[in-house]
């Protein structure tokens, strides 16, 4: 994958300048120094300096324009070799350009540059009649070029693996964030629907009694006050999670089955008689399962209060060895054999499915609605 272009910072610009300038100085000084022991090579001149500067200084644009820089180093290095200037640091610019080009993902251009310089060097010497190199030297140079290319490929593969791992981590974080947003949305729906339903029922009761029996309207108004207060507390807690204002553990425990009695008491104040039946030995549950079980019961009772026109409901909890079974029945009116699902039942089913369980909504023999959730332990 080709690396995207970023706007360099001041420090990055300084580093981009230092490498070409340092390499240019080293190449020129080193080539003049190496020429003293190579009397059979062409004497250094101004054109040699130009070729060395072109190859080294072009590396300044290596990150933004790797292919043109690669060809600039190929051409300058090839001309330098064919003119038989002294052997020295001339190949450094070409090696850096090829290595970086392949590592950045321009594999074809890098290998074409390698082959072009090798073939141009060997073929050019034959055409110009420079034949002092034997077969051994030709093969040795070819081997060095291949090693350079394969090393660049190894670094490119490592870079791709690192980038793929980073993308995988980012996708995993996005997936977890999406799941967390879904969970928070479900929490908001359950909290708002439950408390607003209770407030609505109690407000209707208060309006009905305020003129006829004003002394009996006070309990309904008190229930409205308590329900609204609890709704605000829970909403503030959920919004605090969204704001991520506190990375420490929550100050209040997450609602679970240990809050069930309070939920039943609050629901009964809305006029619905609730019976709780527990089978098996109650025991601590994983937090996710405990929270989901409580929210399923809460949403079921909310639906009964809002839609069922029921006077009583029964909550059955069965602690098994492998599963936790929840069953909520009411004595209201459910005319359809398979009740239509709204947001409430769909949300409960999503909670159960997220834990690997199931949830069904059917009509009871008496005509009410039965919610059955089976959650694996």
């Amino acid at each position: 994958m080709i690396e995207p272009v970023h706007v360099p910072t001041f420090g990055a610009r300084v580093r981009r300048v230092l490498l070409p300038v340092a390499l240019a100085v080293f190449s020129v000084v080193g080539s003049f120094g190496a020429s003293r022991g190579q009397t059979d090579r062409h004497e250094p001149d101004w054109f040699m300096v130009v070729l060395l500067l072109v190859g080294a200084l072009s590396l300044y644009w290596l990150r933004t324009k790797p292919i043109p820089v690669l060809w600039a180093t190929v051409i300058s290095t090839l001309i330098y070799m064919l003119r038989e200037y002294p052997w020295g640091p001339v190949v450094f610019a070409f090696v850096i350009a090829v290595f970086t080009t392949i590592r950045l993902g321009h594999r074809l251009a890098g290998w074409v540059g390698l082959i072009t310089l090798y073939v141009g060097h060997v073929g050019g010497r034959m055409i110009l009649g420079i034949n002092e190199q034997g077969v051994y030297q030709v093969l040795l140079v070819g081997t060095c070029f291949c090693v350079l290319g394969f090393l660049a490929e190894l670094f490119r593969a490592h870079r791709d693996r690192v980038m793929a791992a980073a993308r995988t981590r980012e996708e995993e974080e996005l997936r977890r964030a999406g799941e967390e947003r879904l969970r928070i949305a479900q929490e908001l729906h359950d909290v708002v629907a439950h408390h607003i339903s209770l407030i609505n029922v109690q407000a209707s009761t208060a309006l009905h009694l305020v003129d006829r029996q004003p002394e009996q309207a006070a309990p309904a108004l008190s229930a409205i006050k308590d329900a609204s207060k609890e709704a605000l507390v829970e909403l503030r807690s959920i919004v605090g999670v969204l704001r991520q204002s506190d990375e420490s553990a929550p100050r209040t425990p997450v609602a679970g089955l240990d809050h069930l009695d309070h939920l039943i008491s609050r629901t009964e104040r809305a006029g619905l008689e609730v019976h709780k039946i527990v089978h098996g030995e109650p025991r601590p549950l994983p937090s996710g399962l405990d929270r989901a079980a409580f929210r399923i019961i809460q949403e079921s009772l909310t639906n009964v209060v809002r839609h069922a026109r029921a006077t009583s409901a029964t909550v059955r909890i069965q602690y098994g060895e492998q599963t936790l079974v929840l069953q909520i029945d009411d004595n209201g009116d459910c005319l359809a054999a398979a009740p239509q699902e709204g947001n409430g039942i769909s949300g409960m089913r999503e909670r159960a499915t997220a834990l690997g369980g199931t949830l069904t909504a059917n009509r009871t023999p008496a005509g009410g609605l039965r919610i059955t959730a089976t959650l694996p332990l």
Side-chain angles (χ1 to χ4, degrees):
M1 180 178 180
I2 298 175
E3 186 176 86
V5 177
H6 301 282
V7 178
T9 62
F10 177 77
R13 292 192 185 98
V14 171
R15 288 192 296 271
R16 283 179 56 184
V17 171
L18 285 179
L19 174 63
V21 171
L23 183 59
V25 174
F26 174 72
S27 298
V28 173
V29 174
S31 297
F32 273 93
S35 65
R36 297 178 181 176
Q38 303 181 48
T39 56
D40 56 331
R41 309 292 294 182
H42 195 289
E43 287 291 330
D45 55 18
W46 65 269
F47 189 57
M48 183 193 79
V49 176
V50 170
L51 293 176
L52 292 172
L53 293 178
V54 168
L57 297 180
S58 65
L59 297 181
Y60 175 80
W61 296 276
L62 185 57
R63 285 284 180 177
T64 57
K65 300 177 181 180
I67 296 179
V69 170
L70 171 66
W71 286 107
T73 60
V74 169
I75 294 173
S76 61
T77 304
L78 180 59
I79 296 175
Y80 184 100
M81 291 178 173
L82 293 180
R83 285 183 63 87
E84 295 191 282
Y85 285 120
W87 293 110
V90 61
V91 295
F92 286 178
F94 169 74
V95 169
I96 294 174
V98 170
F99 194 88
T100 304
T101 301
I102 294 178
R103 190 177 63 86
L104 292 179
H106 303 282
R107 302 173 62 191
L108 179 60
W111 281 101
V112 170
L114 277 171
I115 295 172
T116 300
L117 182 59
Y118 177 69
V119 174
H121 177 240
V122 175
R125 294 179 69 85
M126 295 177 62
I127 294 173
L128 297 176
I130 308 172
N131 297 318
E132 77 255 18
Q133 282 189 326
V135 177
Y136 173 78
Q137 288 81 1
V138 172
L139 293 178
L140 180 61
V141 173
T143 302
C144 293
F145 275 52
C146 290
V147 170
L148 171 62
F150 284 119
L151 285 176
E153 289 285 357
L154 288 177
F155 275 85
R156 181 201 59 79
H158 173 71
R159 174 179 176 274
D160 290 347
R161 285 194 299 270
V162 171
M163 293 180 64
R167 287 194 298 269
T168 301
R169 288 194 298 270
E170 182 179 357
E171 292 171 358
E172 179 67 16
E173 291 174 358
L174 292 175
R175 183 187 65 80
R176 291 179 180 177
E179 292 177 351
E180 183 65 14
R181 284 194 295 270
L182 177 60
R183 185 190 68 79
I184 293 174
Q186 291 174 337
E187 293 284 333
L188 281 172
H189 172 269
D190 293 345
V191 170
V192 172
H194 176 72
H195 289 91
I196 294 301
S197 297
L198 297 184
I199 291 172
N200 180 62
V201 171
Q202 294 291 350
S204 299
T205 303
L207 288 174
H208 179 72
L209 296 175
V210 68
D211 293 328
R212 301 179 183 180
Q213 298 174 311
E215 70 280 357
Q216 296 184 11
L221 295 175
S222 178
I224 292 175
K225 178 182 177 182
D226 293 340
S228 60
K229 180 180 178 181
E230 292 182 14
L232 289 174
V233 170
E234 293 198 45
L235 286 175
R236 190 178 295 113
S237 175
I238 295 175
V239 172
V241 174
L242 289 175
R243 290 177 177 173
Q244 296 181 349
S245 57
D246 187 0
E247 298 296 334
S248 61
R251 294 184 176 89
T252 57
V254 179
L257 291 180
D258 55 340
H259 290 67
L260 184 57
D261 291 337
H262 180 62
L263 171 65
I264 291 175
S265 174
R266 191 171 59 211
T267 306
E268 287 181 334
R269 296 178 66 178
L272 180 68
E273 183 181 358
V274 181
H275 304 280
K276 183 181 75 170
I277 301 174
V278 178
H279 301 279
E281 183 67 25
R283 57 184 181 273
L285 301 172
S287 60
L289 175 63
D290 194 24
R291 181 176 62 247
F294 176 82
R295 293 304 187 191
I296 288 173
I297 296 175
Q298 182 186 54
E299 180 62 26
S300 299
L301 294 178
T302 301
N303 287 341
V304 174
V305 172
R306 294 176 61 187
H307 307 299
R309 296 189 298 274
T311 58
S312 67
T314 302
V315 177
R316 289 183 174 85
I317 305 174
Q318 181 176 351
Y319 290 87
E321 294 184 0
Q322 302 293 333
T323 59
L324 176 72
V325 180
L326 310 173
Q327 182 177 304
I328 302 93
D329 297 339
D330 65 70
N331 65 349
D333 299 327
C334 181
L335 301 179
Q340 294 183 351
E341 295 188 6
N343 291 332
I345 295 179
S346 298
M348 290 188 290
R349 178 170 285 112
E350 289 175 359
R351 285 186 180 276
T353 302
L355 295 172
T358 60
L359 186 139
T360 59
N362 299 301
R363 188 173 64 177
T364 65
L369 179 65
R370 170 174 292 171
I371 299 293
T372 305
T374 303
L375 308 177
L377 296 176

